[in-house]
Amino acid sequence: GNSVTQMEGPVTLSEEAFLTINCTYTATGYPSLFWYVQYPGEGLQLLLKATKADDKGSNKGFEATYRKETTSFHLEKGSVQVSDSAVYFCALNAGGTSYGKLTFGQGTILTVHP
Amino acid sequence: KAGVTQTPRYLIKTRGQQVTLSCSPISGHRSVSWYQQTPGQGLQFLFEYFSETQRNKGNFPGRFSGRQFSNSRSEMNVSTLELGDSALYLCASSFHRDSYGYTFGSGTRLTVV
């Protein structure tokens, strides 16, 4: 079946540090890949997405590249801020008849200190 | 543009009762999906509706059901509540193609006592 594996957290960084959160996936076919962020007490917000191999999604300084050869979609940001503290989820939609179904990783808690 | 609206935000129910949660998607979005989020199991897909038809279903017991109305609003029902049903229930809406991404509501926090 389809699955998503994220690096285990929590991740604690100082402000302006470089961020990488690893994400690898297992899926048949050509899935679409997503990163979502969840702030305390809120739902999920779409951070970025990529729908085919070598696509790069980017938003608010965050980037991730769809690497089919390594089945990865690692999230990066060059300089994190305290306001980036949240839980980050990697997810995929397998396409085909996987209507509306996102398969999520377990989430990575990010804490950024001033 | 209004986002995905879920009501109520918080709910406390007693074991054995039933509950109905509501989700209003973004205007123009015809696909509505439901997810259960718990600390132990993470985010799990419940079901998806499109044009009043359930197109996809996750691995949940029959106590979990849903429906979608002609205006794309959706409801989720859980009957015979169990303590383990305590969770954050999230609704997401999308334009008709999944690859466009999904917009989530803030969720309904259900506590079963």
Side-chain angles (χ1 to χ4, degrees):
Chain A
N2 303 315
S3 66
V4 176
T5 303
Q6 288 179 235
M7 65 183 286
E8 292 198 18
V11 175
T12 303
L13 296 172
S14 298
E15 205 165 26
E16 299 184 2
F18 185 85
L19 168 71
T20 299
I21 301 178
N22 290 338
C23 170
T24 57
Y25 68 89
T26 301
T28 54
Y30 302 93
S32 295
L33 302 174
F34 307 87
W35 276 100
Y36 280 87
V37 58
Q38 186 174 36
Y39 298 99
E42 297 185 15
L44 303 175
Q45 296 179 23
L46 177 63
L47 186 57
L48 51 84
K49 65 181 172 73
T51 58
K52 62 183 187 297
D54 299 325
D55 266 2
K56 177 185 281 188
S58 61
N59 185 28
K60 300 180 181 179
F62 291 90
E63 294 183 339
T65 301
Y66 189 143
R67 300 288 188 200
K68 189 164 178 61
E69 63 275 14
T70 55
T71 61
S72 65
F73 193 54
H74 305 320
L75 182 69
E76 296 182 335
K77 187 175 185 182
S79 177
V80 293
Q81 305 300 311
V82 172
S83 58
D84 294 327
S85 298
V87 184
Y88 292 81
F89 292 92
C90 184
L92 70 83
N93 175 270
T97 57
S98 298
Y99 303 114
K101 181 178 180 179
L102 288 169
T103 299
F104 287 91
Q106 67 270 39
T108 301
I109 299 172
L110 170 66
T111 303
V112 181
H113 292 297
Chain B
K1 189 176 187 181
V4 178
T5 303
Q6 291 189 246
T7 55
R9 285 296 308 272
Y10 302 93
L11 208 47
I12 300 175
K13 289 287 188 179
T14 303
R15 195 169 40 178
Q17 288 186 312
Q18 76 164 21
V19 67
T20 298
L21 312 181
S22 179
C23 172
S24 293
I26 289 175
S27 178
H29 284 191
R30 296 166 65 190
S31 169
V32 175
S33 302
W34 289 88
Y35 294 82
Q36 181 195 66
Q37 185 177 24
T38 60
Q41 299 298 315
L43 283 150
Q44 294 187 289
F45 172 76
L46 281 155
F47 29 65
E48 187 260 3
Y49 286 86
F50 181 84
S51 292
E52 303 179 65
T53 301
Q54 186 184 88
R55 295 194 300 180
N56 203 356
K57 189 177 189 309
N59 296 323
F60 278 82
R63 300 185 297 107
F64 292 81
S65 62
R67 59 177 175 169
Q68 187 180 34
F69 301 94
S70 58
N71 61 357
S72 293
R73 189 177 72 85
S74 178
E75 288 182 347
M76 191 193 101
N77 184 276
V78 187
S79 63
T80 319
L81 284 165
E82 300 176 0
L83 296 179
D85 297 332
S86 295
L88 179 66
Y89 289 89
L90 293 165
C91 164
S93 75
S94 173
F95 195 51
H96 71 283
R97 288 188 60 185
D98 294 334
S99 60
Y100 279 68
Y102 303 83
T103 302
F104 282 79
S106 297
T108 293
R109 172 75 62 184
L110 172 65
T111 302
V112 182
V113 297

